[in-house]
């Protein structure tokens, strides 16, 4: 019959020195792995920074090219350059502000207002963007909104003589003219309504005078002579004319008066 005894574990045969060496090598490998992870994160950040720098540099080049084209009145080409720049730096308020100026030169007012609104959204402290927005709003006839935009621009940069003397002054003048035009239109409409409700008759015309004279003569004759119908008791009917000076009144015992 076989006997069973306790068996020594294999790990106990490994010497203590070997175990310590193994643990040290494992710690070194872990440190190397941590260093690799840190280096990878740093490298990724660096690549992102380089990419952003390249985008900003390329966007600036496109912006300058578009500005040169706009100065030479090549507006459509300038817009293409600035749209490419916005793909690289979509938060650049200056690009939207320049687009709005060029769109106004092309008489495209709705896109000009939209571009200026994008500019002030991205940089609410830009007095240039508010000034351009006000000019675009004036192009649409939105005088009250334009005045507000010019006032904000002046609030940001109070010492700007262009906005104060030209833009805001012109907008207020247009507003006064608009109010005056509305007042004149309201007065003209009221006058037309009065004229339509009361016809303008010519009371001094020959026809009207002749009719009035005929009516007066008829009324005079009626008032001068009055008639009445009298029926006697025997059934005889008699018409009697009564004068004002000598009234003819028959004996009431013989006649029955019928009017």
């Amino acid at each position: 019959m076989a006997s069973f005894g306790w068996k020594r574990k294999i790990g106990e045969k490994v010497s203590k020195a070997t175990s310590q060496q193994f643990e040290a090598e494992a710690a070194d490998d872990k440190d190397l792995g941590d260093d690799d992870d840190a280096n990878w994160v740093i490298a990724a950040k660096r690549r992102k920074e380089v990419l952003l720098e390249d985008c900003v540099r390329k966007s600036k080049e496109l912006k300058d090219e578009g500005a040169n084209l706009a100065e030479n009145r090549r507006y459509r080409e300038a817009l293409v350059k600035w749209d490419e720049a916005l793909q690289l730096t979509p938060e650049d308020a200056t690009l939207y502000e320049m687009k709005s100026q060029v769109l106004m030169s092309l008489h495209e007012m709705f896109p000009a207002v939209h571009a200026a609104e994008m500019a002030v959204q991205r940089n609410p402290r830009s007095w240039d963007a508010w000034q351009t927005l006000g000019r675009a709003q004036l192009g649409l006839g939105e005088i009250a909104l334009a005045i507000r935009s010019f006032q904000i621009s002046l609030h940001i940069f109070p010492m700007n003589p262009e906005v104060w003397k030209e833009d805001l002054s012109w907008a207020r003048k247009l507003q006064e003219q608009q109010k005056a035009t509305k007042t004149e239109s309201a007065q003209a409409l009221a006058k037309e309504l009065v004229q339509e409700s009361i016809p303008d008759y010519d009371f001094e015309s020959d026809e009207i005078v002749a009719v009035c004279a005929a009516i007066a003569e008829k009324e005079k004759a009626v008032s001068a002579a009055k008639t009445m119908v009298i029926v006697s008791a025997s059934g005889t009917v008699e018409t009697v004319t009564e004068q004002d000076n000598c009234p003819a009144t028959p004996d009431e015992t013989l006649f029955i008066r019928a009017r």
Side-chain angles (χ1 to χ4, degrees):
M1 184 176 179
S3 60
F4 297 91
W6 178 77
K7 296 182 179 179
R8 188 186 300 269
K9 293 182 179 180
I10 298 176
E12 293 181 357
K13 295 182 179 180
V14 180
S15 64
K16 186 177 181 180
T18 303
S19 177
Q20 291 176 349
Q21 182 180 1
F22 176 78
E23 291 175 358
E25 291 177 354
D28 293 338
D29 293 339
K30 183 179 180 180
D31 293 338
L32 291 174
D34 293 339
D35 292 339
D36 292 338
D37 293 339
N39 292 334
W40 181 85
V41 172
I42 294 173
K45 290 182 178 180
R46 181 55 185 166
R47 283 195 298 270
K48 185 177 180 180
E49 292 174 357
V50 171
L51 181 61
L52 290 175
E53 291 175 357
D54 290 341
C55 289
V56 171
R57 178 181 55 79
K58 182 62 176 176
S59 176
K60 187 178 182 305
E61 292 177 357
L62 292 169
K63 182 193 296 185
D64 294 339
E65 292 176 8
N68 292 329
L69 292 170
E71 289 178 359
N72 294 323
R73 300 182 181 275
R74 298 164 63 181
Y75 298 132
R76 296 295 180 184
E77 298 177 51
L79 289 174
V80 172
K81 294 293 183 181
W82 290 335
D83 286 336
E84 292 178 2
L86 283 171
Q87 295 296 323
L88 300 173
T89 54
E91 298 302 318
D92 191 344
T94 307
L95 288 169
Y96 286 105
E97 191 269 334
M98 291 192 300
K99 277 190 64 176
S100 180
Q101 292 188 51
V102 167
L103 289 168
M104 280 190 285
S105 298
L106 294 172
H107 303 287
E108 298 181 9
M109 293 304 172
F110 281 104
V113 170
H114 177 69
E117 289 176 345
M118 297 291 286
V120 297
Q121 287 177 8
R122 280 154 177 74
N123 187 7
R125 301 295 301 171
S126 172
W127 65 267
D128 286 327
W130 284 106
Q131 181 188 26
T132 302
L133 177 59
R135 290 178 175 179
Q137 289 167 337
L138 272 185
L140 285 181
E142 298 291 344
I143 300 176
L145 293 177
I147 290 176
R148 177 181 178 274
S149 298
F150 292 143
Q151 289 174 342
I152 295 174
S153 179
L154 281 174
H155 180 75
I156 298 171
F157 184 26
M159 302 305 294
N160 188 351
E162 184 180 13
V163 177
W164 180 263
K165 295 181 181 180
E166 297 181 11
D167 296 316
L168 188 58
S169 177
W170 173 245
R172 286 177 174 171
K173 184 177 180 180
L174 290 176
Q175 189 178 46
E176 292 175 358
Q177 293 177 355
Q178 187 182 53
K179 290 180 180 179
T181 303
K182 288 182 179 179
T183 303
E184 292 177 358
S185 300
Q187 293 176 350
L189 179 60
K191 186 176 180 180
E192 291 178 0
L193 292 176
V194 170
Q195 291 177 349
E196 290 178 0
S197 60
I198 303 177
D200 187 12
Y201 293 112
D202 186 6
F203 293 100
E204 297 181 358
S205 65
D206 296 337
E207 292 82 0
I208 297 295
V209 172
V211 170
C212 292
I215 294 174
E217 290 295 332
K218 183 177 181 181
E219 290 181 351
K220 183 178 179 181
V222 170
S223 62
K226 298 181 181 179
T227 60
M228 57 182 168
V229 178
I230 298 175
V231 181
S232 65
S234 61
T236 304
V237 179
E238 184 179 356
T239 301
V240 179
T241 302
E242 187 177 29
Q243 302 294 332
D244 292 337
N245 296 330
C246 52
T249 305
D251 188 358
E252 294 182 359
T253 60
L254 299 176
F255 297 96
I256 299 173
R257 182 178 298 180
R259 293 186 181 276

